[in-house]
């Protein structure tokens, strides 16, 4: 599956637009508190534990979006957008969305 933030793919022709696809992940604040309680590797204000949790959340949202696109019969997703939003009680939501398409090589 080709996944890109652009609206076109060099060397490929979009044969059909199959629909909007998305994946969401919500992480509770207690997860972050647990990580912060045990952090010993903060350098320059960055927390590798916090960054690792965010990367995992993004990967989960992307995987859900890709699974939905495969269900549509897509072989690519274009126009990917990633959003990070804090929701009630300090929970973080990561959303990945894009357009599922069928592409062929030119």
């Amino acid at each position: 599956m080709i996944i890109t933030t652009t609206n076109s793919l060099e060397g490929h022709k979009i044969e059909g637009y199959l629909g909007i696809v998305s994946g969401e992940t919500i992480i509770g604040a207690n997860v972050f508190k647990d990580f912060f309680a045990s952090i010993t590797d903060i350098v320059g204000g960055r927390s590798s534990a916090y960054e690792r949790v965010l990367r995992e959340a993004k990967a989960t949202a992307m995987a859900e979006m890709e699974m939905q696109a495969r269900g549509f019969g897509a072989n690519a997703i274009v126009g990917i957008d990633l959003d990070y939003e804090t929701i009630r009680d300090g929970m973080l939501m990561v959303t990945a969305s894009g357009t599922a398409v069928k592409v062929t090589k030119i």
Side-chain angles (χ1 to χ4, degrees):
M1 171 93 45
I2 301 169
I3 299 175
T4 182
T5 58
T6 62
N7 293 320
S8 61
L9 296 168
E10 188 173 329
H12 292 81
K13 178 180 179 185
I14 295 177
E15 296 289 331
Y17 293 86
L18 305 175
I20 296 170
V21 291
S22 64
E24 300 83 19
T25 303
I26 298 176
I27 301 170
N30 59 336
V31 172
F32 293 124
K33 287 179 186 174
D34 293 343
F35 275 108
F36 282 125
S38 63
I39 291 175
T40 58
D41 59 345
I42 297 178
V43 178
R46 291 183 64 175
S47 166
S48 63
Y50 182 76
E51 291 170 352
R52 186 171 37 255
V53 170
L54 288 176
R55 278 193 302 273
E56 289 173 10
K58 180 181 83 169
T60 300
M62 295 281 289
E64 286 183 9
M65 178 184 61
E66 184 176 340
M67 187 170 54
Q68 186 179 19
R70 286 187 192 283
F72 286 178
N75 62 354
I77 306 171
V78 296
I80 298 292
D81 181 47
L82 293 170
D83 289 314
Y84 298 84
E85 185 175 340
T86 303
I87 54 178
R88 69 172 183 83
D89 299 328
M91 296 178 83
L92 178 70
M93 179 172 66
V94 179
T95 304
S97 61
T99 302
V101 295
K102 189 74 164 179
V103 298
T104 56
K105 271 201 175 279
I106 295 176

